[in-house]
Amino acid sequence: MRAHFNAKLGGLDSEASMGRPRYECIQEPAGTWKVWDNALNRAAELDGQQLVNRSLFRAEAACQILNRIHLGSRF
């Protein structure tokens, strides 16, 4: 079973209200974290690099930033 961390943004994310934000943090088997892109069904990328093998702190930060960017593009 994978552990998930949802980076929800204070009720602003309509996808989060349906249970899934665009990006979420998922714990990897080794204990590290990745940022998952639910729309593309793969690890998220930032500046051409997959966001995998990260500390929880870094994964959460990237997840929050990517969700804010995603929300901003729709409003």
Side-chain angles (χ1 to χ4, degrees):
M1 182 167 154
R2 298 185 309 194
H4 291 262
F5 173 84
N6 292 329
K8 296 181 183 178
L9 301 172
L12 295 175
D13 189 351
S14 61
E15 290 171 312
S17 66
M18 289 189 262
R20 295 201 77 141
R22 165 86 189 250
Y23 300 96
E24 37 183 358
C25 296
I26 298 176
Q27 190 170 21
E28 299 171 307
T32 56
W33 293 79
K34 65 182 166 188
V35 178
W36 191 256
D37 185 334
N38 286 313
L40 299 177
N41 202 31
R42 65 178 187 208
E45 291 185 10
L46 191 58
D47 196 28
Q49 293 201 359
Q50 285 190 330
L51 298 174
V52 297
N53 299 318
R54 306 286 189 229
S55 68
L56 179 58
F57 175 80
R58 291 194 178 272
E60 287 174 341
C63 195
Q64 289 174 356
I65 290 167
L66 288 170
N67 276 316
R68 286 181 193 266
I69 291 169
H70 174 68
L71 288 174
S73 69
R74 297 187 310 168
F75 293 104

